[in-house]
Amino acid sequence: MIEEHSFGPVPITCHSFNKDCSQLALSLNSNTVDIYKKSGQKWEKLQSLEEHSERVTSIDWAANTDRIVTASADRNAHVWTRDSTGQFRPTLVLLRIDRAATVVKWSPLENKFAVGSGAKLVSVCHFEPEHNWWVCKQIKKPFKSTVTCLAWHPNNCLLAVGATDFKARIVSAYLKEADEKPAATCWGGNMKFSNVMAEYTNGGSGWIRDVAFNGDGSLMAWVSHDSSVSVANGSTQTLAVLRFAMLPMLTCCWLSDTALVAAGHDCYPVVFRYEAGSASLSIAGQLNMSADQSGGSTKMTAKTMFGNMDRMATEDSVEKLTTVHQNSIK
Amino acid sequence: MSKRTTNAKFRTVDVDQYNEDNFEDALLDGDSAGPDASGDGYLAVSDAELSKLLADNKISEALAALLAKPPVNVKSSAVKDQAANQVLRVLMHTKQSDIDRVVQALDEAHVDTLMKYVYRCFELVKENHALLLVWHEKVLARGQIGSIVRALSDRKRV
């Protein structure tokens, strides 16, 4: 069952839903973030958050505490909290980065968030009540290039980080100001801040586009720009890699401990099956339900055929893709 | 743009190499475990063996031997050129009607490497690309678009 919602002809750069998916924060390739509320079948605009001076690169809505964090190419991040009138107001965040922020994610307990940036580091921010701002500690050492994607482990302390240096890593983002000391996980026991728990490369070289932990945090999956998907298993210490035939995937997320869905340049989501025993990945199916049952290409009348020949010097033209999405899915 | 009229011979230092922000490609530097990294005397198949295989028309075997150990980790470009020329010989030696059979008989792991070599051979050949284009078409049918993505994005060049 697919619901289709359009917000205009502009690409949606980033978006995030609130807890019950009744509200949506999105950015249409601009400096502003729009908050929409669902009313019936339509979305009505509630507010426009205008604090950033450059393109907004990432938005995350904290489900339980109802706060939004936005990160932008202007090297800033802002945390937005609702005031008494229901409007969102920004709070200062000190990121101390000198390059664009690329991705931001709230931690599971929503007391910290991590920001990846082109400055080759991850800033882990927590709130300091006496000054009413968010301060950060930076993880610099392992990263040799821009950080592109982040995912939090359920224990609120470990972070999976993918970067353009072709490696996916698990680092510790344990802050004694914000967390209690975490128990050892299958990725190791020493969780001193910025310690690298694991580092993986899938043998090829493609930018890591997205990284995701499964429900209990024992599996880390990532999709890379060399048309591959990989899963690292912390309990069995194995790495499964699948190089597939399609265009690269841009985003992935776990459906269960054995199923992973990913989508990207081919404009339709694909489901992958992961088997822990044999450490193998395979394609299980695709979610490519065509909106137009006739397959997308309309019947060629003589008029359209000559019209196309005139306009585009071709006899038949496929202007609409057969997939639901008409462009890359991020 | 206007022509440079002053003498620029004093520009002997490449300042870009000293930039601290430059990406150090650990993939190529540190990864010299495996085939002889210095490149001396490293070739999967010697030229003489290759001539013999081609004379016997053993295309599949020649190709399998060459694709099994491509000099991706070797720093010497002379070795890489030599290996690329060897693959080019094999590709050009094959009759057009045999290409399909040879491609189908390849190991799954070698399809990506072959696609990399097809693109490398496009660089080497100055004219007469026709046979190479047929190779490209057949390898694409086997490897699909994913093999092209990997041929273009892999930093381990052949």
Side-chain angles (χ1 to χ4, degrees), chain B residues 10-129:
Chain B
F10 66 90
R11 297 183 205 278
T12 51
V13 178
D14 173 21
V15 290
D16 285 334
Q17 71 186 138
Y18 298 112
N19 186 0
E20 285 159 6
D21 279 344
N22 272 350
F23 177 62
E24 293 138 30
D25 212 341
L27 213 66
L28 299 180
D29 292 334
D31 206 350
S32 28
D36 181 23
S38 65
D40 293 337
Y42 166 86
L43 269 182
V45 179
S46 76
D47 280 331
E49 287 168 27
L50 189 63
S51 304
K52 190 169 176 311
L53 284 170
L54 289 180
D56 293 339
N57 217 27
K58 293 202 179 122
I59 309 284
S60 282
E61 286 87 343
L63 211 50
L66 284 170
L67 295 179
K69 285 180 24 175
V72 284
N73 291 328
V74 174
K75 286 185 221 175
S76 150
S77 62
V79 173
K80 289 193 180 197
D81 288 343
Q82 221 179 339
N85 276 306
Q86 286 185 325
V87 175
L88 181 61
R89 270 181 74 190
V90 178
L91 295 188
M92 295 307 239
H93 186 95
T94 324
K95 278 201 284 293
Q96 191 155 332
S97 43
D98 282 341
I99 294 181
D100 206 9
R101 183 184 53 82
V102 173
V103 169
Q104 293 313 317
L106 279 179
D107 260 351
E108 192 66 44
H110 295 162
V111 176
D112 285 344
T113 320
L114 181 55
M115 188 50 107
K116 283 193 209 173
Y117 269 118
V118 168
Y119 277 101
R120 184 79 163 88
C121 294
F122 277 133
E123 289 174 42
L124 293 173
V125 172
K126 296 289 178 283
E127 43 211 23
N128 287 335
H129 293 104

Side-chain angles (χ1 to χ4, degrees), chain A residues 7 10-12 14-17 23-37 43-50 56 59 61 68 70 80 88:
Chain A
F7 293 92
V10 191
I12 299 178
C14 46
H15 72 287
S16 189
F17 282 98
Q23 294 191 24
L24 169 66
L26 55 72
S27 179
L28 297 171
N29 205 26
S30 71
N31 313 350
T32 55
V33 174
D34 298 324
I35 311 282
Y36 283 86
K37 180 176 125 136
W43 293 87
E44 52 175 72
K45 190 152 150 184
L46 284 185
Q47 192 189 350
S48 194
L49 310 178
E50 290 170 23
V56 174
I59 307 176
W61 199 315
I68 303 178
T70 58
W80 303 80
F88 282 100

Side-chain angles (χ1 to χ4, degrees), chain A residues 290-298 318 320-323:
Chain A
S290 161
D292 185 355
Q293 282 310 311
S294 67
S297 56
T298 53
V318 182
K320 199 165 179 295
L321 292 179
T322 59
T323 54

